[in-house]
Amino acid sequence: AKYPADSPLMRRLWTLSAKYDVPLSVHMDATPDSLEQMERVLVSDRSGTWIWAHTGWLPVANPSLLRPLLQAHPNLFCELSGRESIRRIYRGDPIDNDRVLKPEWKALLEDFPDRFVIGTDVDPPTMAAYAEEIGYWRGILAQLSPSTAAKLAHGNAEQIGRASCRERVFITV
């Protein structure tokens, strides 16, 4: 079911995220109303951690949309699965052209290296598809500075997940 990002259920989950220092992973399109709702939740408690799954799907959440959101909300993190050109099922704008990182995406990732994590959604879920996905991300990471690449590859996920690993909790909606 689709819930408004600032519905009572989502606000309750956000309260739990902040209270227990557990990230909240949210699947949400980048529609104007959803973005407004997300921003209301983000400012309601800055101690929560919002992970935007797929960094929005539709309409296109591109660097010009993301930059002001990341500047305004230090508790917003973006997960990049489904944003790659090799995922033929993805309906939006990928971060690359034939495995070459687009300049505007490279600039955004370098400017906000602590705010992105890679993801490995694969379809079909086979070892071959997973190997292709990992190869893809290794190629993308090689186009970034070593420190940004390390943060996206594992550092940010480790940082975000410290509490969830300690508490063995992760909220996904």
Side-chain angles (χ1 to χ4, degrees):
K2 182 179 177 182
Y3 292 96
D6 62 350
S7 69
L9 172 62
M10 291 300 294
R11 285 190 176 274
R12 179 67 180 133
L13 291 172
W14 185 244
T15 298
L16 292 170
S17 169
K19 179 178 180 180
Y20 293 105
D21 194 22
V22 175
L24 178 64
S25 176
V26 179
H27 287 76
M28 182 190 87
D29 288 342
T31 60
D33 61 324
S34 292
L35 292 172
E36 288 175 16
Q37 295 162 12
M38 177 181 74
E39 289 194 272
R40 282 193 294 269
V41 173
L42 289 169
V43 299
S44 71
D45 191 334
R46 293 287 190 189
S47 62
T49 300
W50 185 285
I51 302 172
W52 193 3
H54 311 295
T55 311
W57 281 77
L58 296 170
V60 176
N62 58 33
S64 63
L65 175 91
L66 294 169
R67 185 174 293 280
L69 289 170
L70 291 167
Q71 289 169 335
H73 305 290
N75 50 351
L76 172 62
F77 295 82
C78 298
E79 183 270 327
L80 295 169
S81 69
R83 300 306 304 250
E84 59 272 40
S85 63
I86 63 170
R87 296 285 67 107
R88 294 161 221 22
I89 60 167
Y90 179 64
R91 303 167 288 158
D93 186 34
I95 67 171
D96 66 293
N97 286 318
D98 290 327
R99 300 176 187 251
V100 176
L101 194 56
K102 292 176 181 176
E104 62 273 18
W105 275 99
K106 182 175 182 175
L108 185 71
L109 296 173
E110 292 288 359
D111 290 347
F112 295 93
D114 298 323
R115 308 288 285 290
F116 288 90
V117 295
I118 62 171
T120 56
D121 284 3
V122 294
D123 187 29
T126 64
M127 288 304 291
Y130 187 71
E132 179 186 27
E133 185 80 10
I134 296 302
Y136 165 85
W137 281 114
R138 286 182 175 153
I140 293 296
L141 294 172
Q143 298 170 52
L144 297 167
S145 68
S147 64
T148 296
K151 289 177 180 184
L152 268 69
H154 62 87
N156 293 340
E158 291 169 1
Q159 184 66 31
I160 292 167
R162 275 189 176 49
S164 60
C165 290
R166 184 176 61 248
E167 302 294 332
R168 301 199 187 283
V169 176
F170 196 91
I171 303 169
T172 302
V173 292

